Amino acid sequence: MATMIFVNLPVKDIEAAKAFWGELGYSFNPQFSDDKTGCLVISDTIFAMLMTEARFRDFATKEVADATKTTEVMLALSADSRDQVDRVLGAALAAGATEPRPAQDLGFMYGRAFEDLDGHVWEYVWMDPAAVQG
């Protein structure tokens, strides 16, 4: 069985977070979602557990970071093409995200980042397969 990852993130408004990610084409696993939690399905082995701050505090032993003021983590996801990077970022911006920095184009690698409604930083990156193999 492949190792799975569940990234747990606090959100201020679970319904707004679900709507945001739905606009980007993602779905939620209803078996692990309720009025306080949304299990965002990123792939067969990658999930983001979006939780209201109150629910997140049930698991946290430290103060919950305000991602609009500090960088708690940068989550990077691979893309199949440069166009996919731009499509995802376009959808995120249209859904209310902000773009904290310009695109990074290194020729063999292209990436863009956005901050979601709660300030969590998500990066989408494409790497030229020929450059990776070489």
Side-chain angles (χ1 to χ4, degrees), residues 68-103:
T68 64
K69 296 179 183 175
T70 61
T71 302
E72 63 185 346
V73 67
M74 291 184 288
L75 302 156
L77 298 172
S78 62
D80 292 331
S81 67
R82 294 171 63 101
D83 288 340
Q84 183 186 17
V85 170
D86 290 334
R87 279 193 309 274
V88 170
L89 263 287
L93 296 172
T98 58
E99 191 167 12
R101 60 173 166 73

Side-chain angles (χ1 to χ4, degrees), residues 38-100:
C39 180
L40 173 64
V41 179
I42 297 170
S43 77
D44 290 344
T45 59
I46 304 170
F47 307 87
M49 298 299 295
L50 308 179
M51 297 181 230
T52 62
E53 289 179 348
R55 181 68 176 135
F56 189 85
R57 281 187 191 95
D58 290 339
F59 300 97
T61 59
K62 299 178 187 177
E63 184 178 336
V64 176
D66 181 347
T68 64
K69 296 179 183 175
T70 61
T71 302
E72 63 185 346
V73 67
M74 291 184 288
L75 302 156
L77 298 172
S78 62
D80 292 331
S81 67
R82 294 171 63 101
D83 288 340
Q84 183 186 17
V85 170
D86 290 334
R87 279 193 309 274
V88 170
L89 263 287
L93 296 172
T98 58
E99 191 167 12

